[in-house]
Amino acid sequence: MKKSLLFLLVPALLFSVTGCNKSSASGKVFLEFGKVHTSESVLVDEIDYDTLTSWINHNNSFALAVSNEGCSCWEGFQPILAAFNYKYNLDIKQIPVKELNVEGRDKFGLYTVAVDSPFLAFFSNGVLVRQAMYGGNKEYSKIFTDRSGKELEKFFFENAYLPKMLYVEKDTLDGYISENKEFNLYVARTGCGDCATVNETMLRDWNKTTVSVDEPLYVFDIAPYYQTEEYQSIKDTYGLSEANNKDFGYSTGMVPTFQHRKGSEVKDMAVILNDGVYEDGRTMKSYYTSTRVGKMAFLKDTGNEYVYEGKKLSNDQIDQVTYQGQTYVFIKKEAHIEFHTPILNRFLNTYVK
């Protein structure tokens, strides 16, 4: 968008400060999730203010474009960003600047002068650490105008690492299976509390210690099938349940589940945060039985260290709640995370590398 006379008169030094804001945080941002795109596009997916607020409240690390509908500069930059997303399996979203410029809303440190849009920002652990805007600084304006995408690439790789966890759609996943591809899969469900816990603890910690991988972790979200007639079929088809996966399937199928696959064959698997407590209130009921652990290649030579079935729990590892007159005993969240973190780390370090 063309800059007003007011902005043209502001000293160049001001633009050098506001053109690329940096917090006291140092180092590149470890982006968390990307996406395998099924086709090229000239459009970038849009989010609303509530979604951005949720990402920030959950301390996510992500890149974000701030757009301005009808602005010629955004219309020129959007296809450049869309092509960049496609090339590098990124999922950088856009939020319209008008979503931020509503009275009373927190702008989270984002620069929101519409006349200088578009902007590109990086958040680490929910905190804004970098941003560049089209208006006000010729050096950074190249990021938004270079149609080759090279200036965008340069700026991106100076400030972030590519995500190692990539969402895939069902058709893409089915293609990997039919091609007999060897790959790693995380089956999750948006809205699943255990999946959110895994994402925000174990996976986040692993992600920040791993710069890059040759074998990514593909993520398949089964939320669209939840509470439909297809849901059980989906879990059976992809080997979460015992129906088609006698060695590693868990009951009717649970999430979060992590698999190392060769086409349709599940060669290794881990089910995280789905252990419980038997009626005695002290004995652990676990996916990790001696039989299953003995078949898990990534737990080879660990003996009984991760055989949790039948494990006696201490008072500080359990909690209970009474509902409609009945008392339920369960493993405390902190204890559950402590039990399963080394298991998931061994899986990731064995296969996602």
Side-chain angles (χ1 to χ4, degrees):
M1 179 174 283
K2 292 183 179 179
K3 297 179 285 296
S4 66
L5 180 60
L6 172 64
F7 278 85
L8 289 172
L9 293 175
V10 177
L13 179 59
L14 176 60
F15 286 123
S16 69
V17 174
T18 62
C20 185
N21 293 343
K22 294 188 178 183
S23 75
S24 58
S26 61
K28 297 182 181 181
V29 176
F30 287 84
L31 299 184
E32 294 176 341
F33 293 97
K35 176 182 177 181
V36 177
H37 299 266
T38 56
S39 61
E40 292 189 64
S41 175
V42 295
L43 301 176
V44 175
D45 291 341
E46 181 180 313
I47 63 169
D48 59 18
Y49 183 80
D50 288 343
T51 299
L52 175 60
T53 301
S54 177
W55 288 359
I56 289 171
N57 288 343
H58 285 86
N59 300 320
N60 293 2
S61 296
F62 58 94
L64 177 72
V66 180
S67 59
N68 189 6
E69 185 179 358
C71 168
S72 61
C73 299
W74 167 248
E75 298 305 322
F77 178 57
Q78 182 170 208
I80 297 172
L81 181 57
F84 187 64
N85 274 338
Y86 179 81
K87 180 177 181 180
Y88 288 105
N89 293 327
L90 289 163
D91 195 20
I92 301 174
K93 309 284 193 184
Q94 56 140 321
I95 185 169
V97 68
K98 64 183 180 182
E99 283 278 304
L100 298 166
N101 286 331
V102 173
E103 186 176 355
R105 284 185 172 177
D106 189 339
K107 295 178 173 58
F108 308 111
L110 288 164
Y111 185 80
T112 60
V113 178
V115 73
D116 278 349
S117 65
F119 321 128
L120 187 61
F122 294 93
F123 285 80
S124 179
N125 301 320
V127 176
L128 178 68
V129 294
R130 305 283 191 278
Q131 65 177 320
M133 54 281 299
Y134 167 77
N137 189 309
K138 291 183 179 179
E139 178 185 356
Y140 294 113
S141 67
K142 295 177 183 178
I143 297 167
F144 305 94
T145 57
D146 176 21
R147 294 188 178 278
S148 73
K150 291 182 180 178
E151 291 294 331
L152 174 58
E153 288 193 18
K154 179 176 180 290
F155 178 70
F156 176 89
F157 288 111
E158 285 174 348
N159 290 286
Y161 295 112
L162 289 172
K164 299 166 283 290
M165 298 176 282
L166 308 175
Y167 277 93
V168 292
E169 296 181 6
K170 185 176 183 297
D171 287 347
T172 302
L173 176 57
D174 290 344
Y176 293 165
I177 291 172
S178 65
E179 295 163 10
N180 205 33
K181 177 184 175 74
E182 188 162 357
F183 64 100
N184 308 304
L185 180 67
Y186 166 29
V187 184
R189 177 173 61 81
T190 297
C192 157
D194 291 336
C195 298
T197 297
V198 165
N199 292 348
E200 295 171 19
T201 58
M202 306 176 199
L203 287 177
R204 182 167 291 168
D205 291 343
W206 166 79
N207 184 57
K208 291 176 183 176
T209 61
T210 309
V211 170
S212 64
V213 294
D214 294 324
E215 302 296 334
L217 180 64
Y218 295 109
V219 186
F220 180 46
D221 184 2
I222 60 175
Y225 307 96
Y226 187 56
Q227 295 183 333
T228 71
E229 293 181 358
E230 295 180 81
Y231 190 58
Q232 189 58 51
S233 175
I234 288 291
K235 294 192 292 180
D236 294 343
T237 297
Y238 296 107
L240 277 68
S241 72
E242 295 174 4
N244 298 318
N245 186 1
K246 299 301 182 185
D247 286 342
F248 301 118
Y250 193 27
S251 185
T252 60
M254 308 292 177
V255 289
T257 286
F258 294 80
Q259 299 175 339
H260 180 67
R261 303 182 67 107
K262 182 73 162 61
S264 60
E265 180 186 2
V266 179
K267 299 180 72 67
D268 218 344
M269 182 164 138
V271 178
I272 304 299
L273 298 185
N274 274 277
D275 291 347
V277 182
Y278 282 105
E279 291 182 0
D280 66 0
R282 282 290 181 271
T283 306
M284 196 166 174
K285 182 180 181 180
S286 178
Y287 172 76
Y288 295 94
T289 64
S290 59
T291 300
R292 278 205 189 92
V293 169
K295 295 175 181 178
M296 296 175 176
F298 77 98
L299 293 181
K300 182 181 178 181
D301 300 327
T302 62
N304 292 325
E305 182 178 359
Y306 300 112
V307 176
Y308 291 149
E309 172 68 19
K311 179 182 178 65
K312 295 300 180 182
L313 298 165
S314 61
N315 288 336
D316 61 355
Q317 293 173 330
I318 60 174
D319 210 339
Q320 61 184 35
V321 61
T322 300
Y323 178 70
Q324 293 184 344
Q326 186 165 351
T327 300
Y328 298 89
V329 180
F330 54 91
I331 303 171
K332 283 185 177 179
K333 180 178 178 179
E334 295 77 11
H336 218 166
I337 292 171
E338 185 176 349
F339 284 137
H340 283 200
T341 295
I343 291 177
L344 183 55
N345 281 343
R346 287 184 71 97
F347 180 93
L348 297 170
N349 292 334
T350 300
Y351 298 117
V352 188
K353 57 184 181 178

